[in-house]
Amino acid sequence: MDSIFDALEDILGLDYVPDEDEISDLSLRMRGYLMRLVGVAPEDKDFTVLVARARALLDVEVPGDFIGIRVHLRRMALTALGLLDLLAPFSEPSTPSP
């Protein structure tokens, strides 16, 4: 789970400019995260918009220009963050230590 937050922190950082080598990796990682999050999202009206947005982003080919790539990655990251935020109350409670 830490790796998704690392990716989100990178992509959503104000001064973050991905290298050409990072773009493909980040795009693939964000696609994987979105697919997993969509797979565990309950069929609930609160999730409908975000799940639809995630599915639409998964169908879009990564743009070829730098600004388009950055915008696409940020959209994916914000959608993942929204899904994580909604899923947080559904997380399995931690077991208290004895």
Side-chain angles (χ1 to χ4, degrees):
M1 202 58 166
D2 288 341
S3 62
I4 189 172
F5 291 109
D6 291 342
L8 293 174
E9 187 175 328
D10 286 345
I11 293 169
L12 296 174
L14 295 177
D15 298 326
Y16 182 68
V17 179
D19 293 339
E20 274 189 50
D21 299 335
E22 291 178 298
I23 291 169
S24 178
D25 178 56
L26 274 175
S27 182
L28 287 172
R29 286 175 48 203
M30 287 308 304
R31 285 182 56 77
Y33 297 140
L34 282 177
M35 284 190 277
R36 281 186 254 158
L37 289 169
V38 165
V40 298
E43 292 188 28
D44 183 295
K45 65 180 178 162
D46 293 335
F47 288 87
T48 305
V49 171
L50 283 171
V51 168
R53 186 177 305 146
R55 287 186 175 137
L57 287 167
L58 291 170
D59 289 339
V60 172
E61 190 170 319
V62 178
D65 63 297
F66 179 75
I67 295 297
I69 291 166
R70 185 162 160 94
V71 168
H72 182 68
L73 286 171
R74 289 181 66 83
R75 285 181 180 156
M76 291 174 82
L78 289 170
T79 302
L81 194 59
L83 285 166
L84 285 168
D85 187 44
L86 284 176
L87 286 167
F90 295 101
S91 297
E92 190 173 308
S94 60
T95 310
S97 344

